[in-house]
Amino acid sequence: MSTQGRRVAIFGATSEIAVAFGRLCAEAHDRLVLVGRDPEALERLAADLKVRGADAVAILPADFNHIDGLSEMAQESWAPFAGLDLALVAYGTLPDQKAATGNPAVAAAALHINFVSPALLCDLLAARFEAAKAGTLAVITSVAGDRGRQSNYVYGAAKGGLQLYLEGLRHRLWAAGVRVVDIRPGFVATRMTAHLPQGGPLWATPERVAADMDKAIRRGSAVLYTPWFWRIILLIVRALPRPLFHRSKL
């Protein structure tokens, strides 16, 4: 690894969690490639991260919905610093379960951006890390993927599928010395959850989640629940017998 700091690409760089993580990278003097859909937002973020200490920042406008562009996206993210030490895949949306129910177009769009696109991008990045025999691929999934629930099972199915995909990818890349980190946040106060009642002990800030991510990535943890108590909550939820679980309103 270079003494200049890590070479880090953040896909979905303008989400609140990604911004908070990018600021931690900047304080560590990392070199950053910011990938996102809004060029102006990327420019603003790049300027902010340079002020905060980033050694260098490149931006890459891209649309994650376009599968045909993912290969070029992976290639271009690799180019500015002749490789990467860390790739963080941080994009996705939170669909309205009621809107997705009985509407194949809405459900398909949610499954595409939350599972198909990130899984295919991870595959492309994995090949590059595998060839380099080094690096870390970190992906934000969700605690929603741990058990299907009536309130968000389209989103949960996409995130659960992504978790399983990462498990297989981790198995494949272990021999090459490449780490795969599955990041499972609980409730986080962001634009994506602005329509939900926020507040209370189960909600976290993007900064809290980003700090947990930074520690887990540096440790090389396989799976991170953030904040930590979600590991216990999901342990209980997964263990609930089906007859009891079906009486809940989760």
Side-chain angles (χ1 to χ4, degrees):
M1 187 181 294
S2 168
T3 55
Q4 290 178 290
R6 299 173 299 179
R7 300 164 296 178
V8 181
I10 304 177
F11 298 85
T14 59
S15 74
E16 285 100 323
I17 294 174
V19 168
F21 183 78
R23 289 174 174 170
L24 294 177
C25 293
E27 291 170 2
H29 307 297
D30 290 336
R31 289 166 287 170
L32 300 166
V33 182
L34 308 178
V35 190
R37 285 171 289 190
D38 185 341
E40 294 182 358
L42 290 175
E43 292 281 5
R44 289 194 296 272
L45 179 58
D48 175 71
L49 295 180
K50 287 176 185 174
V51 170
R52 293 175 184 269
D55 190 72
V57 184
I59 66 168
L60 175 58
D63 187 341
F64 302 114
N65 277 307
H66 289 172
I67 296 301
D68 291 343
L70 293 178
S71 181
E72 184 178 358
M73 185 192 305
Q75 180 181 352
E76 291 186 359
S77 71
W78 213 260
F81 308 121
L84 292 173
D85 300 303
L86 167 65
L88 172 64
V89 178
Y91 61 87
T93 63
L94 180 61
D96 183 329
Q97 179 60 50
K98 290 182 179 177
T101 303
N103 189 327
V106 174
L111 293 169
H112 183 83
I113 196 64
N114 288 304
F115 172 62
V116 177
S117 173
L120 296 179
L121 177 60
C122 285
D123 188 59
L124 293 163
L125 293 168
R128 291 177 174 274
F129 282 126
E130 190 171 33
K133 297 190 179 303
T136 299
L137 177 60
V139 183
I140 297 179
T141 65
S142 171
V143 297
D146 278 36
R147 188 168 189 177
R149 294 178 286 118
Q150 63 176 323
S151 60
N152 66 351
Y153 57 85
V154 170
Y155 180 71
K159 293 298 188 181
L162 190 56
Q163 291 172 2
L164 197 61
Y165 190 93
L166 295 175
E167 187 177 7
L169 206 54
R170 185 182 304 112
H171 191 187
R172 168 190 151 193
L173 296 175
W174 179 82
V178 179
R179 295 169 175 171
V180 177
V181 183
D182 176 353
I183 299 159
R184 303 181 185 182
F187 297 132
V188 186
T190 65
R191 293 188 297 272
M192 197 167 80
T193 58
H195 62 290
L196 300 174
Q198 298 186 359
L202 295 183
W203 284 82
T205 64
E207 290 75 17
R208 165 70 188 278
V209 171
D212 287 347
M213 288 167 50
D214 190 49
K215 292 176 185 174
I217 289 169
R218 292 182 185 279
R219 284 197 304 262
S221 303
V223 178
L224 168 69
Y225 287 87
T226 174
W228 61 270
F229 49 77
W230 283 102
R231 180 179 292 276
I232 299 171
I233 292 172
L234 269 298
L235 184 66
I236 295 169
V237 170
R238 288 196 305 272
L240 280 176
R242 193 171 291 120
L244 184 60
F245 182 71
H246 286 175
R247 291 187 178 90
S248 75
K249 299 297 182 183
L250 293 171

